[in-house]
Structure formats: C-alpha cells, structure tokens
Amino acid sequence: MNVHDQCAGPSPMGSLNSPVLEPIYRSMSWGDMVHLRSLNPKCNPTKEALTLAAAHPDSVFGADVESRIGKTTTGAPARNADQAIALRRLAVLEDHEVTIDALRDTGLPEDIAIDLVRRLLPRPTGWSIFERMSATPTLNAWARSVMTREAEVHVADDILTLRILQTFGHDVAVPWVIDTTNRWVFFYSTMAYEPASLGQLLDVATLDRPNCYALRNTCRKGYQALAYCHYGAGGHIWPHWEVHEGNWQVHPDLRAGLITDDIVSTNGITCDTERWLRDVTMVGGLDATGYSPRVGVDYESDLSDPENVACDSQRAPVAPSDLHERLETLAALRREARRAAQGAGASSPAPHLDTGVASPDADR
C-alpha cells in the first residue's frame, strides 16, 4: 500500500482519516516517517496520525526514538514515561513546528527550550532533531564526530546538536577545575559510559604545542560549545551539577558520593591554555577542595604569572588586570630600548673601509 501520497490527490489513501492511518504509521521506522512527512510537511492527517502512532506501545519509530534517550548517573533512563511519549511526538516534527511547550513536555527547562527554539526557527525547512540524533546519538559520538570532521563547523552548529542531546536527556555538562600544584586540569562528566572520545577531544584542546593547530582549534571550538551549554536553569549546571555546602557536586547523586576524577588531562596547563579555558567558561568552574575554581572577569590565578613557572604556592597570585598592565609596561620598555638602539646606530658615522684599491682620482 502506498502511503506516501495520502495527501497528494484523489487517491484512495487521500480520503483515509487519522485512525485508519495510525496502524500503518506505527509499523514504519523513524527515518521512513520523516521521509513521509518531508513529502508534504503541511499535511494535517499525517500529523494527527503520527501523534496517535507515537504514543502506541507497539510503535516501531517510537521505540527507535526512545532508544536514543540518555541515562542518569546510575544508567537508568533519564526521562519518565510521559516525557518519553513527548519525545516520540517531538522527534517527527519539522524544525519550525517545534514549540517551547513541546520541549517542556520532554522535561527540558524553559530557558534551554527557548534557546533551542530560537536556534531552529531561522533554519530552512528541515528535520534537525532526526538528523542530529541519527548522526550523533550520544555525547561521546558527538565528540568523535568533532575529532574526525574535515570541514570547519561553526560553534553555533555544535551548540544546536548539544541542545538536542539535552532534550533527549543527555547530560552534556563537562565542568572543570585546575590542579595548581601539578598544573593539570580535571574535567568531570556524569555520563554512564566510558567517555573515550570526549577525553581525546579535551586532551587535544588543552595541548600547548600540538602537532596540528587546526585540530586543536576544532577541539577548542567543541569545548566552547559544551561550555555554552552549561547555561541552564536556576543558576546551576543542568541537570546534575549544583552548589551543595559551598562545593559543586552531582546533586541529586544516586551514587551518594562526591565528584570523582572522570576525565583528567595530564597536559601541562600553561598561562595561555588556562586563559582560553576561563574565557570560554561562563558557568562551570567547579569549587573542589585543593583546586582552583576561580572564574570571572578578573580571576586570580596561580598560573597566570609567567614568572611563576614552578607554580610556587607561596607566591601571591596575580590578577589578569595587573598582569596585563605589567606586560604592557615591559613591552613598552622593550620598544623604547629598540628605538634607542636604532637611533644610536643611525647617528654614528659610517665606518671607513680600506679595500686596498687605489682611487682613480688619487694622483690628480
């Protein structure tokens, strides 16, 4: 039976109503449903039948959508039954059909829902939710795609992918602290599986002298997108990270434990690397005992002073404004010294060179 033309003309399928179409649609895959909708995105009988098919427990495409839902810190589904049904219905919507209410029904905070809708509306007609969740269904898969991409991708495009992952219950927060004693940076993730590709991305992003600067720049843009997505609801890093008794922790944490070192970059963190990391982080510097959580316009840092190469904890930290002023002063002194040397060279008479060759006018 050809269901692709049910809104195209006076065919027998064109007069079928939603209850008749629903059992046909629920036997189709997610990709088939998106293709069907793309033939005529404005066909109302198709939309209504899909809404019914999505909620059916035997829906093939619904089960496919539900299999992409993220996990909590203990490996349980990150969405309840009602939110899973909402995701099934959301998954077959065209970009311009996605609403804040539809996203809120999936469990997404309103602030993040607004941001996602604003990113989908300017796009041409398309099916970003299906495309992104098919290509990169997990945070680790997204990190792997960043590492292997050939064409340059704008940070905003990665943010769109990460927002869609958040919609499906994936925790994309990767906050950090700096170990000022060993000059390492520790990243944390609550994903329930081994973050191998994500760890590689962070390792490359924190290299001081990489073999390929273009790859490092790509990985840094990837972490910049992650850091932007730390922005959530209620002043915490959604959904798990909250300030509890003065420290950032996974809260609520069904593991009943404090944060652990999930991803450790053992690259030496230089002043430039630290400055980049803090520049792209609006929220997400963890406050953990023994580490440096300081963030802000004028953060204090034990690493920002280039003279403190041993990271001596006894030396007073230097604020960026003071360091910037000092570096400007030193640069001005060096420029003045160069100008003075050049001026001295210009005022000196040219030295006489005796070549041993007689001048043609010597005997005149």
Side-chain angles (χ1 to χ4, degrees), residues 1-7 13 21 24-25 28 36 46:
M1 184 179 293
N2 182 11
V3 296
H4 295 278
D5 300 319
Q6 78 273 18
C7 290
M13 287 297 297
L21 295 172
I24 301 172
Y25 290 169
M28 299 173 66
L36 173 63
T46 299

Side-chain angles (χ1 to χ4, degrees), residues 176-186 206 208 265 267-278 290-294 299-320 323 326-327:
W176 54 267
V177 296
I178 290 178
D179 179 348
T180 56
T181 301
N182 297 301
R183 303 182 71 175
W184 293 344
V185 60
F186 293 76
T206 54
D208 179 43
S265 172
N267 298 323
I269 301 302
T270 63
C271 305
D272 288 339
T273 302
E274 184 204 15
R275 192 172 296 113
W276 160 75
L277 192 59
R278 295 186 188 273
Y291 300 126
S292 167
R294 298 183 290 265
Y299 62 86
E300 294 181 346
S301 171
D302 298 318
L303 304 184
S304 291
D305 184 356
E307 296 177 5
N308 191 8
V309 292
C311 197
D312 184 359
S313 59
Q314 300 301 317
R315 295 186 59 164
V318 180
L323 178 63
R326 188 171 70 183
L327 292 177

Side-chain angles (χ1 to χ4, degrees), residues 15 80 88 99 103 129 137 145 194-195 209 231 256 265 277 294 296 331 347 351:
S15 59
N80 61 34
R88 289 178 173 213
T99 65
L103 292 171
I129 293 177
S145 74
E194 185 65 28
R209 294 184 176 89
Y231 166 78
S265 172
L277 192 59
R294 298 183 290 265
S347 61

Side-chain angles (χ1 to χ4, degrees), residues 123-271:
R123 299 177 66 82
T125 300
W127 312 87
S128 297
I129 293 177
F130 166 73
E131 292 166 358
R132 303 303 169 103
M133 290 306 297
S134 296
T136 53
T138 65
L139 182 60
N140 217 36
W142 167 81
R144 185 164 53 251
S145 74
V146 172
M147 296 282 293
T148 57
R149 66 178 43 149
E150 297 180 359
E152 186 173 353
V153 174
H154 196 278
V155 174
D157 193 74
D158 280 324
I159 292 174
L160 174 61
T161 301
L162 294 171
R163 287 300 195 206
I164 292 173
L165 280 170
Q166 285 181 306
T167 305
F168 276 72
H170 293 268
D171 185 359
V172 304
V174 189
W176 54 267
V177 296
I178 290 178
D179 179 348
T180 56
T181 301
N182 297 301
R183 303 182 71 175
W184 293 344
V185 60
F186 293 76
F187 294 93
Y188 300 91
S189 173
T190 61
M191 67 173 62
Y193 47 85
E194 185 65 28
S197 297
L198 182 60
Q200 293 173 9
L201 182 147
L202 297 171
D203 266 338
V204 174
T206 54
L207 282 173
D208 179 43
R209 294 184 176 89
N211 293 327
C212 177
Y213 281 87
L215 178 59
R216 187 187 71 171
N217 188 50
T218 297
C219 292
R220 287 192 170 187
K221 286 183 177 181
Y223 186 75
Q224 183 180 350
L226 283 169
Y228 180 90
C229 291
H230 288 173
Y231 166 78
H236 68 283
I237 308 177
W238 187 82
H240 295 298
W241 297 94
E242 294 183 357
V243 176
H244 185 64
E245 296 181 354
N247 291 326
W248 283 96
Q249 295 180 10
V250 178
H251 183 75
D253 185 4
L254 300 178
R255 299 174 299 184
L258 301 178
I259 55 178
T260 56
D261 301 342
D262 292 323
I263 306 172
V264 182
S265 172
T266 54
N267 298 323
I269 301 302
T270 63
C271 305

